[in-house]
Amino acid sequence: MECLYYFLGFLLLAARLPLDAAKRFHDVLSNERTSDYMREHNQLAGWSSDENEWNEKLYPVWKKEDPRWKNSWKGGHVQAILTSDSPALVGSTITFVVDLVFPRCQEEDVSGNIVYEKNCRNDTGPSPDLYVYSWTEEDGWGNGPNQHHHHVYPDGKPFPHHPGWKRCDFVYVFHTLGQYLQKLGRGSARVSINTANVTLGPQLMEVIVYRRHRHAYVPIAKVKDVYVVTDHVPVFVTMYQKNDRNLSDETFLRDLPIMFNVLIHDPSHFLNESAIYYKWNFGDNTGLFVSNNPTLNHTYVLNGTFSLNLTVQAAVPGPCPSPAPKPPTPTSPLSSAGDSPLELRKTPDETCHINRYGYFRATLTIVDGILEVNIIQMTDVLMPAPQPDNLLMDFVVTCQGIMPTEVCTVVSDPSCQITYNTVCDPVDVNTGDSCFLTVRRAFRGSGTYCLNLTLGDDTSLALTSTLVPVPARDPASPSSMANGALVSVGCLAIFVTVITLLVYKKHKEYKYLIGNGTGIVVKGKGLNVFLNHAKAMFCPGNQEKDPLLKHQPETV
């Protein structure tokens, strides 16, 4: 009898072994959460309960510290990167993307094989092989009678035989809210969820990736990420102001408009058919502004700190709820038997709206700054000696607002694309209340230049640009006049020499006519008289005191 009890106990234990040994999806993917937590969530379309059994023989399960992870991939470790377009407004669609990052010098080719990159060297040098994994050589998608038993997911469902499915050599298992989704893919996989049945708040998405290995699969990566489902419209606001030096510090300038641009995070275009209104309160006692335009300009006219508040209202279309049943109307004995009470019901195609709200708040600081800058005059600077490689220009600059502390210029080509030089100089703030500056800059030669000039202080930066025509040295400038005078004197000397030779020739002929002695005297007197007349005609005044003649050797 005692042996019978032992035998029955053994049978009961053997009967329970398969149940205790079988792993379920939540055991593989979410050990830290109980199945009671999973049952709190509504069913996601196309997903399955993680209470289903996991085929551990075909898809082995390794713990995090298992040494087999080191050899799960040739040449290194595969990293899985999980991203989503969270946060998601409840009712919209949220999308998850998993990208596999292969070890250095490995990539996926057009056929889905993993190959070594050309001309890429890792720590062990270039590989003599072409393939890291050639799925054709793995012979996993054979067509024999016994080849299809492993063409299944971890829960035993067969792979979908869509076009190109044999080139998808990775199995992705997504898990969230107590449910899972299996997907066959290549180096990237994408999954979308409608959040209408998702509990509000932060949620966890987990993914495990397997690669094909002959008639089984090998785990290569696990990844998890938090996503958020909210009933508030996700709102972001960008702020821009001309001349504001730092757009991220929420400090702006008085008397200049600030452009506010509202960005609603709606990647699935859930709010495309919604009427959206923007309600602004700028905190400066200017009242409430309501608009259906996401962009608005506002100017603060006083310095100080102001609280900006924005409320976004979106009327989301949706099906109308069923009306509550009405109590039966009591009948009067006077009413005929053919009369019946009428009930008002909404037609099935009638649309109702649910108002969703989003909020944005910020604290803005308004200060004085440089509001505008202008170049009112450009003049070239005359130098005492010609310097063709260093032509100077003076720019008279005025500005509105406070006095700047620095002035910077950028000189570039006429298209303003190629920079020649950048110069910054401090400005003496004690020069007075009015902003009136003269900025001198050097140019490397005549021509046309693009000049960008900025005046700045700690909070503002005002810019103006202009094209600067730099002329060649003016012939009427003092140095040019001196050079011209020297050239004229040289030409005069040549002219006098030629005339002298002609006169000398004529006097030589006259000498033979009047005799040798008197000819010499007449020649000498005649030449002196001619030279005196010539000098008086071309160079009037005392020629011995002419400074051009006196300094001619030094100038030239």
Side-chain angles (χ1 to χ4, degrees):
M1 190 69 178
E2 186 175 348
C3 294
L4 179 62
Y5 287 145
Y6 281 118
F7 180 72
L8 292 174
F10 176 78
L11 291 178
L12 291 174
L13 180 62
R16 290 186 58 189
L17 277 177
L19 290 176
D20 294 338
K23 285 189 178 294
R24 304 185 182 277
F25 274 75
H26 64 76
D27 297 327
V28 176
L29 294 165
S30 187
N31 293 328
E32 71 273 14
R33 294 187 174 182
T34 64
S35 59
D36 293 337
Y37 170 83
M38 307 304 177
R39 296 191 184 99
E40 295 176 2
H41 301 283
N42 296 322
Q43 178 68 34
L44 300 177
W47 292 58
S48 304
S49 172
D50 63 3
E51 294 293 329
N52 292 342
E53 292 187 5
W54 177 284
N55 186 344
E56 190 175 5
K57 181 178 180 181
L58 200 58
Y59 292 86
V61 179
W62 300 342
K63 294 183 178 180
K64 185 176 180 180
E65 61 275 7
D66 196 307
R68 288 177 292 181
W69 281 105
K70 296 181 180 180
N71 298 320
S72 64
W73 191 268
K74 295 179 183 177
H77 175 68
V78 175
Q79 181 183 4
I81 298 178
L82 173 63
T83 57
S84 72
D85 50 19
S86 169
L89 180 64
V90 61
S92 68
T93 299
I94 185 171
T95 300
F96 300 88
V97 177
V98 180
D99 292 307
L100 299 182
V101 180
F102 302 109
R104 175 176 168 77
C105 297
Q106 298 183 15
E107 63 180 357
E108 186 179 39
D109 67 7
V110 294
S111 299
N113 297 313
I114 310 301
V115 299
Y116 290 101
E117 296 181 14
K118 295 181 180 180
N119 303 321
C120 180
R121 299 176 62 90
N122 54 23
D123 296 337
T124 60
S127 174
D129 299 327
L130 175 62
Y131 294 100
V132 182
Y133 290 102
S134 174
W135 308 122
T136 304
E137 295 179 0
E138 289 278 347
D139 195 26
W141 300 143
N143 296 320
N146 299 323
Q147 296 291 332
H148 297 286
H149 71 280
H150 60 279
H151 296 175
V152 296
Y153 287 120
D155 64 355
K157 294 180 180 178
F159 291 155
H161 290 187
H162 53 75
W165 72 277
K166 290 187 177 181
R167 295 184 178 182
C168 299
D169 303 296
F170 299 98
V171 176
Y172 297 82
V173 182
F174 294 80
H175 178 251
T176 188
L177 305 175
Q179 301 163 64
Y180 68 89
L181 180 71
Q182 305 163 126
K183 192 175 183 67
L184 194 64
R186 295 176 56 172
S188 179
R190 178 185 299 263
V191 167
S192 296
I193 297 176
N194 185 279
T195 60
N197 294 327
V198 177
T199 304
L200 299 180
Q203 307 295 344
L204 184 67
M205 173 65 76
E206 302 168 285
V207 183
I208 186 170
V209 186
Y210 283 78
R211 69 169 173 88
R212 181 159 54 85
H213 179 63
R214 299 190 183 277
H215 296 169
Y217 300 86
V218 176
I220 58 172
K222 293 182 71 174
V223 65
K224 63 179 64 176
D225 193 22
V226 174
Y227 64 98
V228 176
V229 178
T230 177
D231 58 352
H232 288 172
V233 178
V235 174
F236 306 90
V237 177
T238 62
M239 294 171 277
Y240 170 78
Q241 184 186 47
K242 179 184 177 182
N243 296 354
D244 183 26
R245 187 155 199 162
N246 187 354
L247 295 176
S248 63
D249 62 357
E250 296 186 346
T251 298
F252 298 94
L253 309 180
R254 178 170 63 90
D255 295 331
L256 279 181
I258 306 173
M259 184 178 70
F260 299 89
N261 187 29
V262 184
L263 304 175
I264 295 179
H265 182 70
D266 185 29
S268 65
H269 309 292
F270 177 64
L271 299 177
N272 274 11
E273 304 300 325
S274 302
I276 302 177
Y277 298 94
Y278 307 88
K279 302 177 183 180
W280 297 89
N281 187 339
F282 295 99
D284 57 352
N285 297 323
T286 54
L288 182 67
F289 296 87
V290 181
S291 171
N292 59 359
N293 192 325
T295 301
L296 185 69
N297 291 341
H298 185 73
T299 301
Y300 287 90
V301 296
L302 297 176
N303 291 350
T305 301
F306 302 91
S307 296
L308 169 68
N309 288 276
L310 168 67
T311 300
V312 177
Q313 176 183 331
V316 182
C320 296
S322 300
K326 294 183 179 181
T329 304
T331 60
S332 170
L334 299 178
S335 61
S336 64
D339 294 335
S340 61
L342 298 177
E343 293 185 3
L344 298 178
R345 297 183 178 179
K346 296 182 181 292
T347 59
D349 58 346
E350 189 170 355
T351 301
C352 292
H353 291 84
I354 301 174
N355 286 330
R356 300 292 186 187
Y357 297 90
Y359 305 94
F360 176 83
R361 294 176 177 87
T363 300
L364 307 184
T365 302
I366 306 301
V367 298
D368 289 323
I370 306 169
L371 305 182
E372 187 178 352
V373 58
N374 292 291
I375 299 175
I376 62 174
Q377 185 179 356
M378 295 183 293
T379 57
D380 58 332
V381 180
L382 300 180
M383 302 298 292
Q387 300 181 20
D389 294 333
N390 191 23
L391 301 179
L392 300 180
M393 296 284 292
D394 279 348
F395 302 90
V396 180
V397 180
T398 62
C399 69
Q400 297 180 12
I402 64 175
M403 194 69 181
T405 58
E406 68 174 358
V407 54
C408 293
T409 57
V410 178
V411 178
S412 54
D413 71 317
S415 67
C416 304
Q417 300 296 321
I418 303 175
T419 300
Y420 295 148
N421 64 70
T422 301
V423 180
C424 290
D425 295 314
V427 175
D428 185 4
V429 295
N430 297 321
T431 56
D433 295 334
S434 62
C435 180
F436 192 85
L437 305 173
T438 299
V439 181
R440 176 169 292 183
R441 289 294 182 259
F443 296 84
R444 61 183 186 180
S446 61
T448 301
Y449 298 85
C450 174
L451 177 74
N452 289 327
L453 186 144
T454 57
L455 300 181
D457 65 355
D458 292 339
T459 57
S460 56
L461 190 68
L463 166 69
T464 186
S465 299
T466 186
L467 289 177
V468 180
V470 178
R473 181 60 61 184
D474 188 356
S477 64
S479 57
S480 298
M481 292 177 63
N483 292 338
L486 293 176
V487 171
S488 300
V489 171
C491 294
L492 176 60
I494 295 174
F495 176 74
V496 171
T497 302
V498 173
I499 296 299
T500 302
L501 292 176
L502 294 176
V503 173
Y504 174 74
K505 181 178 180 182
K506 290 184 177 293
H507 278 275
K508 185 176 180 182
E509 295 175 355
Y510 180 71
K511 176 188 68 175
Y512 293 109
L513 294 177
I514 63 174
N516 293 333
T518 58
I520 295 174
V521 175
V522 173
K523 173 188 173 184
K525 290 182 179 180
L527 181 58
N528 290 334
V529 171
F530 176 82
L531 289 175
N532 289 334
H533 281 289
K535 289 170 66 178
M537 182 182 300
F538 292 98
C539 301
N542 190 347
Q543 302 303 317
E544 298 298 331
K545 298 180 180 180
D546 192 325
L548 291 180
L549 295 178
K550 182 178 181 181
H551 299 288
Q552 181 178 352
E554 296 182 10
T555 304
V556 175

